[in-house]
Amino acid sequence: MSTKTNEPQPARAIFSSEDFTLIRNAVAKYLQDENAPDTVKYANLYHRLGRMASSR
């Protein structure tokens, strides 16, 4: 019989470091479209993803 504890399990990462690189590359491709809506928001996301990938 196994004993269950009430301690919370540690959170598992949703994305790997490689995922951040892949997503960043996809955003970079999207930004090449000069008529893309929300360009500033995607540019900011691109830079945040770069910081996330380099900090891991």
mmCIF file of all heavy atoms in Angstrom:
data_model
loop_
_atom_site.group_PDB
_atom_site.id
_atom_site.type_symbol
_atom_site.label_atom_id
_atom_site.label_comp_id
_atom_site.label_asym_id
_atom_site.label_seq_id
_atom_site.Cartn_x
_atom_site.Cartn_y
_atom_site.Cartn_z
ATOM 1 N N MET A 1 0.849 -1.178 0.000
ATOM 2 C CA MET A 1 0.000 0.000 0.000
ATOM 3 C C MET A 1 0.895 1.243 0.000
ATOM 4 O O MET A 1 1.787 1.373 0.817
ATOM 5 C CB MET A 1 -0.905 -0.046 1.228
ATOM 6 C CG MET A 1 -1.827 1.091 1.340
ATOM 7 S SD MET A 1 -2.900 0.795 2.773
ATOM 8 C CE MET A 1 -4.107 1.977 2.423
ATOM 9 N N SER A 2 0.635 2.145 -0.900
ATOM 10 C CA SER A 2 1.463 3.349 -0.969
ATOM 11 C C SER A 2 0.848 4.458 -0.118
ATOM 12 O O SER A 2 -0.364 4.537 0.039
ATOM 13 C CB SER A 2 1.609 3.830 -2.410
ATOM 14 O OG SER A 2 0.361 4.216 -2.909
ATOM 15 N N THR A 3 1.707 5.276 0.434
ATOM 16 C CA THR A 3 1.264 6.377 1.278
ATOM 17 C C THR A 3 1.280 7.665 0.469
ATOM 18 O O THR A 3 2.283 7.997 -0.147
ATOM 19 C CB THR A 3 2.193 6.532 2.494
ATOM 20 O OG1 THR A 3 2.253 5.273 3.171
ATOM 21 C CG2 THR A 3 1.687 7.595 3.424
ATOM 22 N N LYS A 4 0.179 8.365 0.432
ATOM 23 C CA LYS A 4 0.102 9.638 -0.282
ATOM 24 C C LYS A 4 0.356 10.775 0.698
ATOM 25 O O LYS A 4 -0.103 10.737 1.837
ATOM 26 C CB LYS A 4 -1.267 9.822 -0.932
ATOM 27 C CG LYS A 4 -1.516 8.873 -2.064
ATOM 28 C CD LYS A 4 -2.801 9.207 -2.762
ATOM 29 C CE LYS A 4 -3.009 8.279 -3.942
ATOM 30 N NZ LYS A 4 -4.225 8.574 -4.672
ATOM 31 N N THR A 5 1.085 11.772 0.231
ATOM 32 C CA THR A 5 1.325 12.953 1.059
ATOM 33 C C THR A 5 0.531 14.118 0.494
ATOM 34 O O THR A 5 0.139 14.113 -0.667
ATOM 35 C CB THR A 5 2.817 13.330 1.079
ATOM 36 O OG1 THR A 5 3.207 13.672 -0.248
ATOM 37 C CG2 THR A 5 3.673 12.197 1.599
ATOM 38 N N ASN A 6 0.299 15.095 1.317
ATOM 39 C CA ASN A 6 -0.440 16.275 0.886
ATOM 40 C C ASN A 6 0.474 17.369 0.353
ATOM 41 O O ASN A 6 0.041 18.475 0.102
ATOM 42 C CB ASN A 6 -1.278 16.827 2.040
ATOM 43 C CG ASN A 6 -2.419 15.893 2.376
ATOM 44 O OD1 ASN A 6 -2.882 15.159 1.524
ATOM 45 N ND2 ASN A 6 -2.857 15.917 3.617
ATOM 46 N N GLU A 7 1.765 17.059 0.190
ATOM 47 C CA GLU A 7 2.707 18.055 -0.300
ATOM 48 C C GLU A 7 2.494 18.278 -1.801
ATOM 49 O O GLU A 7 2.309 17.326 -2.547
ATOM 50 C CB GLU A 7 4.142 17.597 -0.057
ATOM 51 C CG GLU A 7 4.492 17.494 1.409
ATOM 52 C CD GLU A 7 5.910 17.016 1.615
ATOM 53 O OE1 GLU A 7 6.738 17.184 0.718
ATOM 54 O OE2 GLU A 7 6.170 16.472 2.698
ATOM 55 N N PRO A 8 2.516 19.538 -2.220
ATOM 56 C CA PRO A 8 2.327 19.801 -3.654
ATOM 57 C C PRO A 8 3.530 19.314 -4.461
ATOM 58 O O PRO A 8 4.665 19.321 -3.984
ATOM 59 C CB PRO A 8 2.219 21.327 -3.722
ATOM 60 C CG PRO A 8 2.844 21.826 -2.474
ATOM 61 C CD PRO A 8 2.674 20.750 -1.447
ATOM 62 N N GLN A 9 3.239 18.849 -5.647
ATOM 63 C CA GLN A 9 4.301 18.391 -6.541
ATOM 64 C C GLN A 9 4.966 19.617 -7.193
ATOM 65 O O GLN A 9 4.299 20.616 -7.451
ATOM 66 C CB GLN A 9 3.704 17.502 -7.637
ATOM 67 C CG GLN A 9 3.114 16.217 -7.097
ATOM 68 C CD GLN A 9 4.178 15.328 -6.480
ATOM 69 O OE1 GLN A 9 5.237 15.159 -7.050
ATOM 70 N NE2 GLN A 9 3.890 14.778 -5.312
ATOM 71 N N PRO A 10 6.274 19.548 -7.447
ATOM 72 C CA PRO A 10 6.938 20.670 -8.111
ATOM 73 C C PRO A 10 6.374 20.858 -9.519
ATOM 74 O O PRO A 10 5.995 19.887 -10.177
ATOM 75 C CB PRO A 10 8.406 20.265 -8.154
ATOM 76 C CG PRO A 10 8.459 18.828 -7.779
ATOM 77 C CD PRO A 10 7.172 18.462 -7.141
ATOM 78 N N ALA A 11 6.311 22.097 -9.951
ATOM 79 C CA ALA A 11 5.793 22.404 -11.281
ATOM 80 C C ALA A 11 6.767 21.907 -12.339
ATOM 81 O O ALA A 11 7.980 22.007 -12.180
ATOM 82 C CB ALA A 11 5.584 23.903 -11.417
ATOM 83 N N ARG A 12 6.236 21.356 -13.391
ATOM 84 C CA ARG A 12 7.062 20.905 -14.503
ATOM 85 C C ARG A 12 7.102 22.006 -15.555
ATOM 86 O O ARG A 12 6.123 22.723 -15.764
ATOM 87 C CB ARG A 12 6.483 19.638 -15.134
ATOM 88 C CG ARG A 12 6.554 18.465 -14.210
ATOM 89 C CD ARG A 12 6.150 17.164 -14.848
ATOM 90 N NE ARG A 12 5.307 17.328 -16.027
ATOM 91 C CZ ARG A 12 4.558 16.383 -16.538
ATOM 92 N NH1 ARG A 12 4.509 15.213 -15.960
ATOM 93 N NH2 ARG A 12 3.838 16.595 -17.614
ATOM 94 N N ALA A 13 8.226 22.123 -16.219
ATOM 95 C CA ALA A 13 8.375 23.121 -17.271
ATOM 96 C C ALA A 13 7.440 22.783 -18.430
ATOM 97 O O ALA A 13 7.276 21.614 -18.789
ATOM 98 C CB ALA A 13 9.810 23.164 -17.762
ATOM 99 N N ILE A 14 6.835 23.793 -18.991
ATOM 100 C CA ILE A 14 5.941 23.596 -20.133
ATOM 101 C C ILE A 14 6.737 23.589 -21.430
ATOM 102 O O ILE A 14 6.486 22.803 -22.319
ATOM 103 C CB ILE A 14 4.865 24.697 -20.168
ATOM 104 C CG1 ILE A 14 3.972 24.574 -18.935
ATOM 105 C CG2 ILE A 14 4.038 24.600 -21.431
ATOM 106 C CD1 ILE A 14 2.984 25.687 -18.780
ATOM 107 N N PHE A 15 7.705 24.488 -21.522
ATOM 108 C CA PHE A 15 8.525 24.599 -22.721
ATOM 109 C C PHE A 15 9.974 24.274 -22.400
ATOM 110 O O PHE A 15 10.473 24.613 -21.334
ATOM 111 C CB PHE A 15 8.477 26.024 -23.290
ATOM 112 C CG PHE A 15 7.122 26.436 -23.785
ATOM 113 C CD1 PHE A 15 6.401 27.407 -23.121
ATOM 114 C CD2 PHE A 15 6.571 25.864 -24.917
ATOM 115 C CE1 PHE A 15 5.154 27.798 -23.574
ATOM 116 C CE2 PHE A 15 5.321 26.247 -25.376
ATOM 117 C CZ PHE A 15 4.612 27.216 -24.702
ATOM 118 N N SER A 16 10.662 23.666 -23.351
ATOM 119 C CA SER A 16 12.093 23.433 -23.207
ATOM 120 C C SER A 16 12.841 24.628 -23.779
ATOM 121 O O SER A 16 12.251 25.490 -24.442
ATOM 122 C CB SER A 16 12.503 22.165 -23.956
ATOM 123 O OG SER A 16 12.424 22.379 -25.353
ATOM 124 N N SER A 17 14.136 24.682 -23.542
ATOM 125 C CA SER A 17 14.953 25.764 -24.106
ATOM 126 C C SER A 17 14.867 25.761 -25.623
ATOM 127 O O SER A 17 14.812 26.813 -26.254
ATOM 128 C CB SER A 17 16.404 25.608 -23.682
ATOM 129 O OG SER A 17 16.508 25.716 -22.292
ATOM 130 N N GLU A 18 14.835 24.578 -26.209
ATOM 131 C CA GLU A 18 14.729 24.481 -27.668
ATOM 132 C C GLU A 18 13.400 25.044 -28.158
ATOM 133 O O GLU A 18 13.333 25.667 -29.217
ATOM 134 C CB GLU A 18 14.879 23.026 -28.115
ATOM 135 C CG GLU A 18 14.882 22.875 -29.622
ATOM 136 C CD GLU A 18 15.056 21.431 -30.068
ATOM 137 O OE1 GLU A 18 15.116 20.539 -29.207
ATOM 138 O OE2 GLU A 18 15.137 21.218 -31.278
ATOM 139 N N ASP A 19 12.326 24.855 -27.378
ATOM 140 C CA ASP A 19 11.018 25.398 -27.756
ATOM 141 C C ASP A 19 11.066 26.917 -27.868
ATOM 142 O O ASP A 19 10.484 27.498 -28.791
ATOM 143 C CB ASP A 19 9.946 24.997 -26.745
ATOM 144 C CG ASP A 19 9.645 23.508 -26.755
ATOM 145 O OD1 ASP A 19 9.924 22.840 -27.769
ATOM 146 O OD2 ASP A 19 9.132 23.026 -25.729
ATOM 147 N N PHE A 20 11.750 27.577 -26.915
ATOM 148 C CA PHE A 20 11.839 29.035 -26.970
ATOM 149 C C PHE A 20 12.537 29.481 -28.245
ATOM 150 O O PHE A 20 12.133 30.456 -28.882
ATOM 151 C CB PHE A 20 12.576 29.595 -25.742
ATOM 152 C CG PHE A 20 11.750 29.550 -24.490
ATOM 153 C CD1 PHE A 20 12.019 28.635 -23.502
ATOM 154 C CD2 PHE A 20 10.689 30.427 -24.318
ATOM 155 C CE1 PHE A 20 11.256 28.592 -22.352
ATOM 156 C CE2 PHE A 20 9.914 30.394 -23.173
ATOM 157 C CZ PHE A 20 10.195 29.466 -22.184
ATOM 158 N N THR A 21 13.562 28.754 -28.654
ATOM 159 C CA THR A 21 14.277 29.093 -29.887
ATOM 160 C C THR A 21 13.369 28.908 -31.096
ATOM 161 O O THR A 21 13.331 29.765 -31.987
ATOM 162 C CB THR A 21 15.540 28.216 -30.021
ATOM 163 O OG1 THR A 21 16.361 28.434 -28.875
ATOM 164 C CG2 THR A 21 16.322 28.572 -31.276
ATOM 165 N N LEU A 22 12.616 27.809 -31.130
ATOM 166 C CA LEU A 22 11.709 27.561 -32.246
ATOM 167 C C LEU A 22 10.614 28.619 -32.334
ATOM 168 O O LEU A 22 10.299 29.131 -33.423
ATOM 169 C CB LEU A 22 11.077 26.172 -32.109
ATOM 170 C CG LEU A 22 12.012 24.985 -32.292
ATOM 171 C CD1 LEU A 22 11.304 23.694 -31.893
ATOM 172 C CD2 LEU A 22 12.505 24.910 -33.721
ATOM 173 N N ILE A 23 10.036 28.964 -31.196
ATOM 174 C CA ILE A 23 8.980 29.979 -31.173
ATOM 175 C C ILE A 23 9.546 31.328 -31.596
ATOM 176 O O ILE A 23 8.927 32.073 -32.367
ATOM 177 C CB ILE A 23 8.324 30.055 -29.780
ATOM 178 C CG1 ILE A 23 7.593 28.749 -29.468
ATOM 179 C CG2 ILE A 23 7.368 31.239 -29.699
ATOM 180 C CD1 ILE A 23 7.164 28.609 -28.025
ATOM 181 N N ARG A 24 10.743 31.636 -31.121
ATOM 182 C CA ARG A 24 11.384 32.916 -31.480
ATOM 183 C C ARG A 24 11.625 32.981 -32.989
ATOM 184 O O ARG A 24 11.406 34.018 -33.612
ATOM 185 C CB ARG A 24 12.691 33.074 -30.710
ATOM 186 C CG ARG A 24 13.284 34.444 -30.838
ATOM 187 C CD ARG A 24 14.442 34.605 -29.867
ATOM 188 N NE ARG A 24 14.861 35.978 -29.785
ATOM 189 C CZ ARG A 24 16.026 36.428 -30.234
ATOM 190 N NH1 ARG A 24 16.885 35.602 -30.773
ATOM 191 N NH2 ARG A 24 16.339 37.697 -30.135
ATOM 192 N N ASN A 25 12.066 31.869 -33.583
ATOM 193 C CA ASN A 25 12.279 31.836 -35.031
ATOM 194 C C ASN A 25 10.968 32.018 -35.791
ATOM 195 O O ASN A 25 10.928 32.698 -36.823
ATOM 196 C CB ASN A 25 12.955 30.527 -35.446
ATOM 197 C CG ASN A 25 14.397 30.461 -34.989
ATOM 198 O OD1 ASN A 25 15.021 31.471 -34.689
ATOM 199 N ND2 ASN A 25 14.930 29.254 -34.921
ATOM 200 N N ALA A 26 9.885 31.437 -35.291
ATOM 201 C CA ALA A 26 8.582 31.592 -35.927
ATOM 202 C C ALA A 26 8.120 33.049 -35.860
ATOM 203 O O ALA A 26 7.596 33.594 -36.837
ATOM 204 C CB ALA A 26 7.554 30.677 -35.262
ATOM 205 N N VAL A 27 8.326 33.695 -34.710
ATOM 206 C CA VAL A 27 7.956 35.110 -34.567
ATOM 207 C C VAL A 27 8.797 35.964 -35.509
ATOM 208 O O VAL A 27 8.297 36.902 -36.135
ATOM 209 C CB VAL A 27 8.098 35.571 -33.098
ATOM 210 C CG1 VAL A 27 7.923 37.077 -32.974
ATOM 211 C CG2 VAL A 27 7.091 34.846 -32.218
ATOM 212 N N ALA A 28 10.083 35.634 -35.653
ATOM 213 C CA ALA A 28 10.959 36.390 -36.561
ATOM 214 C C ALA A 28 10.453 36.298 -37.996
ATOM 215 O O ALA A 28 10.448 37.303 -38.721
ATOM 216 C CB ALA A 28 12.388 35.864 -36.472
ATOM 217 N N LYS A 29 10.011 35.118 -38.407
ATOM 218 C CA LYS A 29 9.444 34.959 -39.759
ATOM 219 C C LYS A 29 8.187 35.808 -39.911
ATOM 220 O O LYS A 29 7.969 36.447 -40.932
ATOM 221 C CB LYS A 29 9.113 33.490 -40.041
ATOM 222 C CG LYS A 29 10.298 32.623 -40.221
ATOM 223 C CD LYS A 29 10.913 32.854 -41.568
ATOM 224 C CE LYS A 29 11.999 31.819 -41.801
ATOM 225 N NZ LYS A 29 12.755 32.099 -42.998
ATOM 226 N N TYR A 30 7.352 35.817 -38.891
ATOM 227 C CA TYR A 30 6.122 36.612 -38.921
ATOM 228 C C TYR A 30 6.450 38.094 -39.050
ATOM 229 O O TYR A 30 5.785 38.825 -39.776
ATOM 230 C CB TYR A 30 5.306 36.351 -37.655
ATOM 231 C CG TYR A 30 4.016 37.128 -37.583
ATOM 232 C CD1 TYR A 30 2.887 36.687 -38.266
ATOM 233 C CD2 TYR A 30 3.921 38.297 -36.843
ATOM 234 C CE1 TYR A 30 1.697 37.395 -38.213
ATOM 235 C CE2 TYR A 30 2.738 39.012 -36.780
ATOM 236 C CZ TYR A 30 1.632 38.557 -37.467
ATOM 237 O OH TYR A 30 0.464 39.267 -37.408
ATOM 238 N N LEU A 31 7.495 38.537 -38.372
ATOM 239 C CA LEU A 31 7.870 39.950 -38.395
ATOM 240 C C LEU A 31 8.408 40.392 -39.747
ATOM 241 O O LEU A 31 8.467 41.587 -40.024
ATOM 242 C CB LEU A 31 8.896 40.252 -37.293
ATOM 243 C CG LEU A 31 8.330 40.286 -35.888
ATOM 244 C CD1 LEU A 31 9.460 40.395 -34.873
ATOM 245 C CD2 LEU A 31 7.352 41.432 -35.726
ATOM 246 N N GLN A 32 8.780 39.465 -40.604
ATOM 247 C CA GLN A 32 9.257 39.822 -41.936
ATOM 248 C C GLN A 32 8.129 40.355 -42.812
ATOM 249 O O GLN A 32 8.383 41.048 -43.788
ATOM 250 C CB GLN A 32 9.922 38.620 -42.607
ATOM 251 C CG GLN A 32 11.239 38.254 -41.965
ATOM 252 C CD GLN A 32 11.856 37.013 -42.568
ATOM 253 O OE1 GLN A 32 11.268 36.368 -43.439
ATOM 254 N NE2 GLN A 32 13.038 36.664 -42.102
ATOM 255 N N ASP A 33 6.887 40.060 -42.450
ATOM 256 C CA ASP A 33 5.726 40.580 -43.167
ATOM 257 C C ASP A 33 5.525 42.033 -42.762
ATOM 258 O O ASP A 33 5.188 42.323 -41.616
ATOM 259 C CB ASP A 33 4.487 39.757 -42.832
ATOM 260 C CG ASP A 33 3.224 40.247 -43.518
ATOM 261 O OD1 ASP A 33 3.291 41.193 -44.338
ATOM 262 O OD2 ASP A 33 2.155 39.680 -43.240
ATOM 263 N N GLU A 34 5.740 42.947 -43.688
ATOM 264 C CA GLU A 34 5.656 44.377 -43.381
ATOM 265 C C GLU A 34 4.247 44.819 -43.012
ATOM 266 O O GLU A 34 4.068 45.854 -42.379
ATOM 267 C CB GLU A 34 6.165 45.189 -44.569
ATOM 268 C CG GLU A 34 7.639 44.978 -44.837
ATOM 269 C CD GLU A 34 8.119 45.700 -46.079
ATOM 270 O OE1 GLU A 34 7.341 46.478 -46.649
ATOM 271 O OE2 GLU A 34 9.271 45.470 -46.464
ATOM 272 N N ASN A 35 3.245 44.048 -43.392
ATOM 273 C CA ASN A 35 1.853 44.411 -43.101
ATOM 274 C C ASN A 35 1.295 43.664 -41.892
ATOM 275 O O ASN A 35 0.097 43.653 -41.664
ATOM 276 C CB ASN A 35 0.974 44.113 -44.330
ATOM 277 C CG ASN A 35 1.387 44.945 -45.517
ATOM 278 O OD1 ASN A 35 1.681 46.125 -45.388
ATOM 279 N ND2 ASN A 35 1.430 44.327 -46.682
ATOM 280 N N ALA A 36 2.170 43.029 -41.122
ATOM 281 C CA ALA A 36 1.713 42.246 -39.976
ATOM 282 C C ALA A 36 1.098 43.165 -38.917
ATOM 283 O O ALA A 36 1.681 44.182 -38.555
ATOM 284 C CB ALA A 36 2.870 41.457 -39.379
ATOM 285 N N PRO A 37 -0.101 42.795 -38.419
ATOM 286 C CA PRO A 37 -0.694 43.593 -37.342
ATOM 287 C C PRO A 37 0.073 43.383 -36.035
ATOM 288 O O PRO A 37 0.715 42.349 -35.847
ATOM 289 C CB PRO A 37 -2.120 43.063 -37.247
ATOM 290 C CG PRO A 37 -2.053 41.687 -37.811
ATOM 291 C CD PRO A 37 -0.949 41.688 -38.827
ATOM 292 N N ASP A 38 0.004 44.359 -35.161
ATOM 293 C CA ASP A 38 0.637 44.268 -33.836
ATOM 294 C C ASP A 38 2.148 44.019 -33.912
ATOM 295 O O ASP A 38 2.719 43.297 -33.104
ATOM 296 C CB ASP A 38 -0.008 43.164 -32.989
ATOM 297 C CG ASP A 38 -1.476 43.432 -32.689
ATOM 298 O OD1 ASP A 38 -1.829 44.618 -32.555
ATOM 299 O OD2 ASP A 38 -2.237 42.468 -32.583
ATOM 300 N N THR A 39 2.804 44.634 -34.882
ATOM 301 C CA THR A 39 4.232 44.423 -35.084
ATOM 302 C C THR A 39 5.040 44.726 -33.829
ATOM 303 O O THR A 39 5.951 43.975 -33.474
ATOM 304 C CB THR A 39 4.736 45.283 -36.260
ATOM 305 O OG1 THR A 39 3.983 44.926 -37.425
ATOM 306 C CG2 THR A 39 6.203 45.051 -36.536
ATOM 307 N N VAL A 40 4.710 45.796 -33.132
ATOM 308 C CA VAL A 40 5.464 46.176 -31.933
ATOM 309 C C VAL A 40 5.323 45.096 -30.864
ATOM 310 O O VAL A 40 6.310 44.721 -30.218
ATOM 311 C CB VAL A 40 4.991 47.550 -31.405
ATOM 312 C CG1 VAL A 40 5.620 47.869 -30.065
ATOM 313 C CG2 VAL A 40 5.306 48.639 -32.410
ATOM 314 N N LYS A 41 4.120 44.568 -30.693
ATOM 315 C CA LYS A 41 3.901 43.529 -29.690
ATOM 316 C C LYS A 41 4.709 42.271 -30.019
ATOM 317 O O LYS A 41 5.295 41.649 -29.137
ATOM 318 C CB LYS A 41 2.420 43.172 -29.597
ATOM 319 C CG LYS A 41 1.570 44.281 -29.006
ATOM 320 C CD LYS A 41 0.130 43.865 -28.966
ATOM 321 C CE LYS A 41 -0.756 44.976 -28.441
ATOM 322 N NZ LYS A 41 -2.169 44.572 -28.432
ATOM 323 N N TYR A 42 4.745 41.907 -31.304
ATOM 324 C CA TYR A 42 5.508 40.725 -31.699
ATOM 325 C C TYR A 42 7.011 40.964 -31.590
ATOM 326 O O TYR A 42 7.764 40.057 -31.243
ATOM 327 C CB TYR A 42 5.134 40.277 -33.113
ATOM 328 C CG TYR A 42 3.846 39.493 -33.123
ATOM 329 C CD1 TYR A 42 2.643 40.101 -33.452
ATOM 330 C CD2 TYR A 42 3.830 38.148 -32.789
ATOM 331 C CE1 TYR A 42 1.457 39.383 -33.449
ATOM 332 C CE2 TYR A 42 2.647 37.422 -32.779
ATOM 333 C CZ TYR A 42 1.472 38.050 -33.115
ATOM 334 O OH TYR A 42 0.304 37.343 -33.098
ATOM 335 N N ALA A 43 7.459 42.169 -31.863
ATOM 336 C CA ALA A 43 8.875 42.495 -31.703
ATOM 337 C C ALA A 43 9.279 42.384 -30.233
ATOM 338 O O ALA A 43 10.341 41.844 -29.908
ATOM 339 C CB ALA A 43 9.163 43.894 -32.234
ATOM 340 N N ASN A 44 8.428 42.861 -29.340
ATOM 341 C CA ASN A 44 8.700 42.739 -27.900
ATOM 342 C C ASN A 44 8.719 41.277 -27.463
ATOM 343 O O ASN A 44 9.574 40.865 -26.676
ATOM 344 C CB ASN A 44 7.672 43.526 -27.092
ATOM 345 C CG ASN A 44 7.802 45.013 -27.277
ATOM 346 O OD1 ASN A 44 8.872 45.513 -27.630
ATOM 347 N ND2 ASN A 44 6.729 45.738 -27.062
ATOM 348 N N LEU A 45 7.789 40.490 -27.981
ATOM 349 C CA LEU A 45 7.753 39.061 -27.682
ATOM 350 C C LEU A 45 9.031 38.387 -28.171
ATOM 351 O O LEU A 45 9.622 37.564 -27.463
ATOM 352 C CB LEU A 45 6.530 38.408 -28.335
ATOM 353 C CG LEU A 45 6.431 36.886 -28.236
ATOM 354 C CD1 LEU A 45 6.373 36.427 -26.787
ATOM 355 C CD2 LEU A 45 5.224 36.398 -29.019
ATOM 356 N N TYR A 46 9.478 38.745 -29.352
ATOM 357 C CA TYR A 46 10.709 38.197 -29.919
ATOM 358 C C TYR A 46 11.895 38.417 -28.975
ATOM 359 O O TYR A 46 12.666 37.506 -28.692
ATOM 360 C CB TYR A 46 10.966 38.844 -31.280
ATOM 361 C CG TYR A 46 12.252 38.421 -31.933
ATOM 362 C CD1 TYR A 46 12.323 37.234 -32.658
ATOM 363 C CD2 TYR A 46 13.387 39.219 -31.856
ATOM 364 C CE1 TYR A 46 13.504 36.843 -33.264
ATOM 365 C CE2 TYR A 46 14.566 38.828 -32.456
ATOM 366 C CZ TYR A 46 14.618 37.647 -33.157
ATOM 367 O OH TYR A 46 15.790 37.265 -33.756
ATOM 368 N N HIS A 47 12.003 39.621 -28.462
ATOM 369 C CA HIS A 47 13.115 39.937 -27.560
ATOM 370 C C HIS A 47 12.969 39.229 -26.211
ATOM 371 O O HIS A 47 13.955 38.747 -25.650
ATOM 372 C CB HIS A 47 13.245 41.450 -27.379
ATOM 373 C CG HIS A 47 13.728 42.122 -28.625
ATOM 374 N ND1 HIS A 47 15.004 41.954 -29.122
ATOM 375 C CD2 HIS A 47 13.102 42.939 -29.492
ATOM 376 C CE1 HIS A 47 15.140 42.640 -30.236
ATOM 377 N NE2 HIS A 47 14.005 43.240 -30.495
ATOM 378 N N ARG A 48 11.744 39.140 -25.679
ATOM 379 C CA ARG A 48 11.540 38.423 -24.413
ATOM 380 C C ARG A 48 11.888 36.950 -24.559
ATOM 381 O O ARG A 48 12.502 36.356 -23.675
ATOM 382 C CB ARG A 48 10.095 38.578 -23.937
ATOM 383 C CG ARG A 48 9.765 39.958 -23.385
ATOM 384 C CD ARG A 48 8.453 39.970 -22.628
ATOM 385 N NE ARG A 48 7.315 39.448 -23.346
ATOM 386 C CZ ARG A 48 6.524 40.155 -24.167
ATOM 387 N NH1 ARG A 48 6.746 41.438 -24.377
ATOM 388 N NH2 ARG A 48 5.492 39.582 -24.754
ATOM 389 N N LEU A 49 11.509 36.357 -25.685
ATOM 390 C CA LEU A 49 11.830 34.950 -25.918
ATOM 391 C C LEU A 49 13.339 34.741 -26.009
ATOM 392 O O LEU A 49 13.853 33.728 -25.547
ATOM 393 C CB LEU A 49 11.149 34.445 -27.203
ATOM 394 C CG LEU A 49 9.648 34.256 -27.117
ATOM 395 C CD1 LEU A 49 9.058 34.049 -28.507
ATOM 396 C CD2 LEU A 49 9.313 33.084 -26.215
ATOM 397 N N GLY A 50 14.036 35.702 -26.569
ATOM 398 C CA GLY A 50 15.485 35.609 -26.641
ATOM 399 C C GLY A 50 16.108 35.631 -25.256
ATOM 400 O O GLY A 50 17.045 34.891 -24.967
ATOM 401 N N ARG A 51 15.570 36.455 -24.377
ATOM 402 C CA ARG A 51 16.082 36.507 -23.002
ATOM 403 C C ARG A 51 15.767 35.203 -22.270
ATOM 404 O O ARG A 51 16.580 34.711 -21.492
ATOM 405 C CB ARG A 51 15.492 37.698 -22.251
ATOM 406 C CG ARG A 51 16.052 39.033 -22.699
ATOM 407 C CD ARG A 51 15.758 40.128 -21.701
ATOM 408 N NE ARG A 51 14.359 40.227 -21.319
ATOM 409 C CZ ARG A 51 13.470 41.047 -21.857
ATOM 410 N NH1 ARG A 51 13.820 41.857 -22.830
ATOM 411 N NH2 ARG A 51 12.236 41.073 -21.430
ATOM 412 N N MET A 52 14.584 34.647 -22.507
ATOM 413 C CA MET A 52 14.189 33.394 -21.846
ATOM 414 C C MET A 52 15.111 32.257 -22.279
ATOM 415 O O MET A 52 15.555 31.473 -21.453
ATOM 416 C CB MET A 52 12.741 33.034 -22.178
ATOM 417 C CG MET A 52 11.709 33.981 -21.659
ATOM 418 S SD MET A 52 11.377 33.799 -19.919
ATOM 419 C CE MET A 52 10.739 32.145 -19.845
ATOM 420 N N ALA A 53 15.373 32.152 -23.564
ATOM 421 C CA ALA A 53 16.199 31.054 -24.078
ATOM 422 C C ALA A 53 17.640 31.181 -23.587
ATOM 423 O O ALA A 53 18.271 30.185 -23.281
ATOM 424 C CB ALA A 53 16.161 31.040 -25.595
ATOM 425 N N SER A 54 18.129 32.403 -23.473
ATOM 426 C CA SER A 54 19.525 32.569 -23.062
ATOM 427 C C SER A 54 19.702 32.425 -21.541
ATOM 428 O O SER A 54 20.802 32.177 -21.075
ATOM 429 C CB SER A 54 20.064 33.923 -23.511
ATOM 430 O OG SER A 54 19.373 34.974 -22.861
ATOM 431 N N SER A 55 18.619 32.552 -20.789
ATOM 432 C CA SER A 55 18.728 32.446 -19.334
ATOM 433 C C SER A 55 18.605 30.992 -18.857
ATOM 434 O O SER A 55 18.768 30.721 -17.682
ATOM 435 C CB SER A 55 17.670 33.313 -18.645
ATOM 436 O OG SER A 55 16.374 32.771 -18.866
ATOM 437 N N ARG A 56 18.315 30.084 -19.724
ATOM 438 C CA ARG A 56 18.118 28.675 -19.332
ATOM 439 C C ARG A 56 19.359 27.871 -19.533
ATOM 440 O O ARG A 56 20.214 27.994 -20.164
ATOM 441 C CB ARG A 56 16.974 28.069 -20.119
ATOM 442 C CG ARG A 56 15.695 28.772 -19.729
ATOM 443 C CD ARG A 56 14.494 28.034 -20.271
ATOM 444 N NE ARG A 56 13.328 28.695 -19.775
ATOM 445 C CZ ARG A 56 12.586 28.246 -18.804
ATOM 446 N NH1 ARG A 56 12.864 27.138 -18.221
ATOM 447 N NH2 ARG A 56 11.541 28.895 -18.399
#
